Amino acid sequence: MILKSQVEWALHCCAILSSLPEGRFLSTKALAELHGLPKEYLSKALQSLSHAGLVHTTLGPSGGYRLARPPEQLTFLDVVEAVEGEGPTFVCQNIRANNPCRPQGYCESTPCAIARTMWQADEAWRTALRKVTFAELAKTLEQEVSPQIWAGTFEWVLKRAG
Amino acid sequence: MILKSQVEWALHCCAILSSLPEGRFLSTKALAELHGLPKEYLSKALQSLSHAGLVHTTLGPSGGYRLARPPEQLTFLDVVEAVEGEGPTFVCQNIRANNPCRPQGYCESTPCAIARTMWQADEAWRTALRKVTFAELAKTLEQEVSPQIWAGTFEWVLKRAG
DNA sequence: ATATTACGGATATTGGATATCCCTATTTGG
DNA sequence: CCAAATAGGGATATCCAATATCCGTAATAT
């Protein structure tokens, strides 16, 4: 079980969009160049973000993407679920129903205990992702990334932002 | 990102093996019939458990599988990792290295902050799975499963256990 | 001895992830 | 008003892991 690479792409794109000045937009082309990704395919990931309402878009030259909310209100979970979907990572096929020892047409009152445990772990994963916002990420990045690269990237982005 | 169905199969098989009397073995054939699963393919999942040292096996008629440890010491995480592997669910491709603004050959001191967050969530997931043992599962099942089916299944299993 | 079992290798088959291409509607900038 | 650039979406191709089956081998119980 490995997350799609689009998840990583979307997270990095949102990190960049978090530092974008209010009201400006950054295009797929710029985001693809900045991360060295295939533009057309990255576009699908960004469309997922758009469809989930996490970003706003505009058309035309100087068009592109910006966050739909302040970074304080955008969590890792939002982005992960936008790309991967909101469904549980464990799908219960209810194979207990195949038990030859049970009466025909017998129906369970509760979901399988095994599935419940897997879903609890799934929820723990989501809770951890829900706790981290892109505001916090920006703070961390500002501390960790070399000031030179940080400033250079910011300038690079601003030059291309519509 | 969805877990393999083999994970579900392996968990249910371990649940059955947990209730198996000391020293007895249950075959792939019996486990496949009990859960309505393809015998040959289920065999691969059981081999994963064997390879991870979670179960012991014997050959010949009346051969099969038994747990290698008491259910108190076998966790969901053990089984999930035996089947899914121990690698992280998020793979960092380090796409920040593609940033055109960085100097040639620049090398990061720390892993990407985005990857670290994803790995922390991954660890939260594993921690939740590590907390639940098959002894606890057996307790839950004994409370929830209809006594008639529970007893019938136990008898069914004993009749086939070598 | 025979039947049964775990095990491992080989080999399809399937479906999702990855990736590209092209057309359309829209909007900016000249 | 016009040309260029953009998001969006559909169609398609490719790749790989998950799923599934088959068979040969060694070991073992009866």
Side-chain angles (χ1 to χ4, degrees), chain A residues 1 3 84 89 98 116 144, chain B residues 1 3 84 89 116 144:
Chain A
M1 183 191 66
L3 290 165
E84 279 284 341
T89 60
N98 301 328
R116 294 206 315 271
E144 287 185 2
Chain B
M1 182 192 66
L3 289 165
E84 279 285 340
T89 60
R116 293 204 316 270
E144 286 184 1

Side-chain angles (χ1 to χ4, degrees), chain B residues 17 20-26 56 58 62-67 161-162:
Chain B
L17 294 180
L20 203 60
E22 186 92 14
R24 305 190 63 178
F25 292 84
L26 198 59
H56 285 160
T58 53
S62 82
Y65 298 85
R66 68 172 173 86
L67 292 189

Side-chain angles (χ1 to χ4, degrees), chain A residues 1-5 7-9 11-12 15 33-37 76 80 84 87-96 98-103 106 108-118 120-122 124-126 128-129 132 134 137 140-141 144-146 148-149 152-154 156, chain B residues 1-5 7-9 11-12 15 33-37 76 80 84 87-96 98-103 106 108-118 120-122 124-126 128-129 132 134 137 140-141 144-146 148-149 152-154 156:
Chain A
M1 183 191 66
I2 291 183
L3 290 165
K4 308 193 224 190
S5 52
V7 170
E8 183 180 12
W9 303 358
L11 289 169
H12 278 273
E33 282 177 16
L34 185 58
H35 297 110
L37 301 174
F76 269 58
V80 169
E84 279 284 341
T89 60
F90 179 84
V91 175
C92 177
Q93 308 280 38
N94 205 35
I95 59 175
R96 62 179 174 176
N98 301 328
N99 186 331
C101 303
R102 27 167 71 201
Y106 179 83
E108 310 294 333
S109 54
T110 53
C112 174
I114 288 179
R116 294 206 315 271
T117 299
M118 295 303 292
Q120 279 169 20
D122 197 280
W125 177 67
R126 290 182 146 82
L129 291 176
V132 184
F134 278 83
L137 175 65
T140 303
L141 289 177
E144 287 185 2
V145 174
S146 136
Q148 188 186 349
I149 295 180
T153 303
F154 190 71
W156 189 96
Chain B
M1 182 192 66
I2 291 182
L3 289 165
K4 306 193 226 188
S5 53
V7 170
E8 183 181 11
W9 302 358
L11 289 170
H12 277 274
E33 281 178 17
L34 185 59
H35 297 109
L37 301 174
F76 270 57
V80 170
E84 279 285 340
T89 60
F90 179 85
V91 175
C92 176
Q93 308 281 33
N94 205 35
I95 60 176
R96 62 179 174 174
N98 301 327
N99 185 333
C101 303
R102 30 169 66 202
Y106 181 83
E108 311 293 332
S109 54
T110 53
C112 174
I114 290 178
R116 293 204 316 270
T117 299
M118 295 302 292
Q120 278 169 21
D122 196 282
W125 177 68
R126 289 183 146 82
L129 292 176
V132 185
F134 279 83
L137 176 66
T140 304
L141 288 177
E144 286 184 1
V145 173
S146 137
Q148 186 185 352
I149 296 181
T153 302
F154 190 70
W156 188 97

Side-chain angles (χ1 to χ4, degrees), chain A residues 5-123:
Chain A
S5 52
Q6 283 203 350
V7 170
E8 183 180 12
W9 303 358
L11 289 169
H12 278 273
C13 287
C14 286
I16 292 293
L17 294 180
S18 292
S19 67
L20 204 60
E22 185 93 13
R24 307 192 59 178
F25 292 83
L26 198 58
S27 69
T28 306
K29 183 159 173 279
L31 287 167
E33 282 177 16
L34 185 58
H35 297 110
L37 301 174
K39 173 172 159 294
E40 302 285 351
Y41 192 34
L42 172 63
S43 167
K44 304 296 183 185
L46 296 173
Q47 282 173 39
S48 296
L49 297 180
S50 173
H51 195 261
L54 305 184
V55 295
H56 285 158
T57 67
T58 53
L59 290 178
S62 83
Y65 297 85
R66 68 171 173 85
L67 293 188
R69 326 170 193 164
E72 290 79 15
Q73 292 168 34
L74 184 67
T75 70
F76 269 58
L77 182 63
D78 293 325
V79 177
V80 169
E81 287 192 333
V83 175
E84 279 284 341
E86 301 184 7
T89 60
F90 179 84
V91 175
C92 177
Q93 308 280 38
N94 205 35
I95 59 175
R96 62 179 174 176
N98 301 328
N99 186 331
C101 303
R102 27 167 71 201
Q104 282 286 358
Y106 179 83
C107 194
E108 310 294 333
S109 54
T110 53
C112 174
I114 288 179
R116 294 206 315 271
T117 299
M118 295 303 292
W119 292 336
Q120 279 169 20
D122 197 280
E123 193 48 46

